Amino acid sequence: MLTQRSRYALRSMLFLATAPAGSPPIPMTRIAGEANVPRKFLELILADLRDAGLLHSHRGKMGGYCLSRPSHLISLGEIIRVIEGPLALVPCVSRTAYRSCKDCRSEADCAIRHAMMRVRDETARILDGTSLADATAKSLVAA
């Protein structure tokens, strides 16, 4: 399950994706209100997304946030990985944070591992194949 933090990040990014190209940065208070995200959490989430290169932040009176790339070039998978870490449900199938399971006798014969690899691959395929633009489209086609 997605954590509430990931849901906040996704809602915030989806809101930013609806801003017209070339529009001024959107203040954090507006993002918080429109995306229904508590401001105290939003500040930390936006900082993580900015540090990951998904957002630009602008200081000052007219400051705020905007996407660092067009919305069709930012996937839901990227956002979730920034907030949650690897998509894998068990560490032995993670591509970025692999760890062997302490209680496993044989990774090659482990039915749980094989099933979780399929889950990871399909989850990644769908999330990485769905951009912010796709998700904000009026008629999202089922994957």
Side-chain angles (χ1 to χ4, degrees):
M1 259 199 237
L2 285 179
T3 63
Q4 188 64 45
R5 193 167 192 274
S6 286
R7 291 166 46 107
Y8 288 159
L10 289 168
R11 286 203 309 249
S12 300
M13 293 292 282
L14 289 166
F15 171 69
L16 289 169
T18 64
S23 61
I26 299 174
M28 185 182 340
T29 53
R30 183 165 172 223
I31 298 168
E34 295 289 334
N36 194 27
V37 177
R39 188 162 179 212
K40 68 178 185 174
F41 293 114
L42 184 60
E43 190 170 349
L44 297 171
I45 291 167
L46 294 178
D48 287 345
L49 294 168
R50 182 197 63 226
D51 293 346
L54 299 179
L55 292 177
H56 287 301
S57 63
H58 303 270
R59 293 178 178 236
K61 185 177 180 182
M62 300 301 289
Y65 291 85
C66 59
L67 299 179
S68 63
R69 302 189 302 255
S71 61
H72 71 279
L73 296 177
I74 299 174
S75 74
L76 300 185
E78 286 181 276
I79 298 164
I80 292 169
R81 283 184 189 93
V82 167
I83 302 301
E84 299 284 339
L87 296 176
L89 296 177
V90 291
C92 66
V93 299
S94 176
R95 289 190 173 141
T96 57
Y98 170 85
R99 283 182 289 120
S100 63
C101 296
K102 304 269 186 262
D103 58 347
C104 188
R105 292 183 186 167
S106 167
E107 281 187 0
D109 299 324
C110 181
I112 295 170
R113 182 172 194 267
H114 293 294
M116 291 301 111
M117 286 175 94
R118 289 194 309 272
V119 170
R120 177 210 59 204
D121 291 346
E122 286 302 305
T123 301
R125 182 185 65 78
I126 293 166
L127 292 174
D128 291 339
T130 306
S131 70
L132 290 172
D134 296 332
T136 57
K138 296 289 183 216
S139 58
L140 182 62
V141 178

